[in-house]
Amino acid sequence: MTDTGTATPADALPGTASGADWLARYNGALLGVFGTPQRVLVRGSGCTVWDADGNEYLDLLAGIAVNALGHAHPFVTSVVSAQLATLGHISNFFTSPTQVALAEKLLELSEAPAGSRVFFTNSGAEALEAAVKLARRNSTPERHRILALDGAFHGRTMGALALTSKTAYRAPFEPLPGGVEHIPFDDVDALRAAMDDSVAALVLEPIQGEAGVRPLSPEYLRAARELTREHGALLILDEVQSGIARTGRWFAHQWVDGVVPDAMTLAKGLGGGFPVGALVTFGEDVSALLSAGQHGTTFGGNPVATAAGLATLHTLESSGALQHVADVGAFFREHLAAVQGVTAVRGAGLLIGFDLDGEYAPAAVQAALAAGFIINATGPGTIRLAPPLILTREQAASFLDALPSILTTAREALS
């Protein structure tokens, strides 16, 4: 191992190995909560990654909507490296210029009113934990219910898990923090029936990613805003996956006029691949619900993470990413709908889900890997795409050209 300034990750590794060798070592060393990884990735550039055996893949998942600018983006890499070489971690006994500047930038992009504030975390789940505490601070003995939706995924920490609806995720860890009720997805009548003055908060994803990229209708989001305001409940929007230009707007709720949340959670694309999340509180009254000592974090908002966030937002903004994402996303969805075997296409921008004419989506993921594409199955018959926001139309077309053969291979694998 070298201690010079030119060291690479390889200098910290105890030897080299094939993909199979690494996977054998993985299974002997890491907790098995993820199962066996599909590949061992060693390098990335733009929208392309390579595995330990030298195979190349077009990354249409971006680490689940994380690598907004692809892999090894030179500006983000340079800013993060320079910040780490200058000042890495300071704790929240202190602040840094990058922390303050990123908070100000998020408030600007979210068009937050005066008095709005930001709390930084390391992940989306941590941002949801902060949101749950915000909801609790809006509670009284009479106002104690938190509403979430069927199909919701908000994370796997205990507070976030209580908001998540999937039984397989929840059941092994019950009892979960109480007070959360799940109501039908995108059903305004069900929302009206559930909403009264006993509700402290309504937590929504504008687009449910884990459930197969299911957008809430504009009518539902407007009703959610109206009813929460009428009954004194907080409207908390989980934009961990749909935020940071993923849908062609900075945040997915900005597609719907008049919907301004009381709080919003962010992560994934915010750091361009570097872990950073945030809770944004809108307005003075909501921001005052969490006061000094009522929440905290050791690493959240550190100089390197917030520098990564600033570099990512600067690059997205200066490159016209919003229009690019909208254009490439529209091209992608239009042509996906014409592929034989695809029965429905959903989403906005470059957060796309499509249904297949059978329950062979996991087999399609394997067939896509073999063909050089990384995609994701959210269920037996549904595929999710969340590529880097720099994906070109030509790269999207290369997947569209390969998709019929991928689906044929997947069907044959199950026959």
Side-chain angles (χ1 to χ4, degrees):
M1 184 181 298
T2 178
D3 60 356
T4 71
T6 58
T8 70
D11 294 313
L13 285 173
T16 60
S18 68
D21 292 336
W22 281 119
L23 289 177
R25 291 168 63 177
Y26 177 98
N27 288 327
L30 281 94
L31 202 62
V33 295
F34 300 110
T36 299
Q38 300 172 52
R39 294 289 189 276
V40 179
L41 301 181
V42 297
R43 183 166 65 88
S45 177
C47 297
T48 305
V49 293
W50 288 263
D51 69 17
D53 300 317
N55 299 306
E56 178 179 316
Y57 306 89
L58 180 62
D59 185 359
L60 297 174
L61 189 57
I64 313 181
V66 167
N67 299 302
L69 297 169
H71 300 270
H73 190 277
F75 184 70
V76 175
T77 301
S78 178
V79 169
V80 168
S81 299
Q83 182 61 58
L84 187 57
T86 304
L87 186 67
H89 176 72
I90 55 175
S91 88
N92 281 296
F93 290 133
F94 307 92
T95 189
S96 65
T98 55
Q99 184 183 72
V100 174
L102 182 59
E104 291 174 341
K105 190 64 182 176
L106 288 175
L107 294 176
E108 173 197 331
L109 296 177
S110 60
E111 301 172 346
S116 302
R117 298 288 188 271
V118 176
F119 173 81
F120 286 115
T121 67
N122 305 290
S123 68
E126 289 177 62
L128 262 299
E129 291 293 327
V132 169
K133 293 179 80 170
L134 190 77
R136 287 283 182 250
R137 290 288 297 141
N138 191 45
S139 298
T140 65
E142 295 76 29
R143 184 189 300 282
H144 52 81
R145 300 164 60 214
I146 299 176
L147 302 182
L149 295 189
D150 291 341
F153 180 84
H154 296 286
R156 298 173 190 258
T157 54
M158 294 302 276
L161 188 59
L163 298 169
T164 295
S165 74
K166 193 171 183 177
T167 301
Y169 295 158
R170 297 168 53 89
F173 306 102
E174 292 176 339
L176 297 170
V180 177
E181 302 171 24
H182 290 90
I183 59 177
F185 175 81
D186 204 31
D187 186 331
V188 174
D189 290 338
L191 176 61
R192 290 189 188 282
M195 183 65 71
D196 58 28
D197 290 352
S198 68
V199 176
L202 170 63
V203 184
L204 307 173
E205 299 160 277
I207 300 176
Q208 289 188 340
E210 182 79 7
V213 189
R214 299 196 302 171
L216 284 170
S217 64
E219 294 75 21
Y220 191 91
L221 286 170
R222 290 192 188 99
R225 178 64 284 181
E226 174 191 337
L227 289 167
T228 49
R229 183 173 290 136
E230 178 182 338
H231 291 285
L234 300 180
L235 176 61
I236 299 173
L237 296 183
D238 179 347
E239 294 254 22
V240 166
Q241 187 162 161
S242 59
I244 315 298
R246 170 60 54 187
T247 68
R249 295 287 177 92
W250 285 111
F251 311 104
H253 73 268
Q254 292 176 333
W255 284 105
V256 183
D257 291 340
V259 175
V260 178
D262 296 304
M264 173 174 67
T265 56
L266 302 171
K268 290 195 180 289
L270 178 56
F274 200 94
V276 56
L279 171 71
V280 181
T281 56
F282 287 69
E284 195 73 58
D285 292 343
V286 176
S287 300
L289 289 173
L290 286 174
S291 57
Q294 291 185 328
H295 199 47
T297 170
T298 297
F299 293 104
N302 69 73
V304 182
T306 47
L310 280 171
T312 300
L313 295 179
H314 170 79
T315 304
L316 290 171
E317 192 169 36
S318 61
S319 65
L322 297 184
Q323 190 61 53
H324 175 79
V325 168
D327 292 345
V328 177
F331 170 81
F332 223 151
R333 293 193 303 279
E334 176 188 349
H335 288 81
L336 276 170
V339 174
Q340 186 174 6
V342 174
T343 59
V345 181
R346 297 177 297 276
L350 287 172
L351 181 57
I352 300 170
F354 61 94
D355 295 337
L356 304 176
D357 59 353
E359 296 189 346
Y360 56 91
V365 170
Q366 295 306 311
L369 266 178
F373 301 95
I374 294 176
I375 61 176
N376 170 243
T378 60
T382 301
I383 298 291
R384 171 174 51 181
L385 305 177
L389 304 182
I390 59 171
L391 186 81
T392 66
R393 186 174 294 218
E394 290 72 24
Q395 288 170 320
S398 71
F399 175 69
L400 292 164
D401 290 343
L403 186 56
S405 176
I406 290 170
L407 298 185
T408 297
T409 301
R411 288 189 207 97
E412 292 174 350
L414 296 183
S415 62

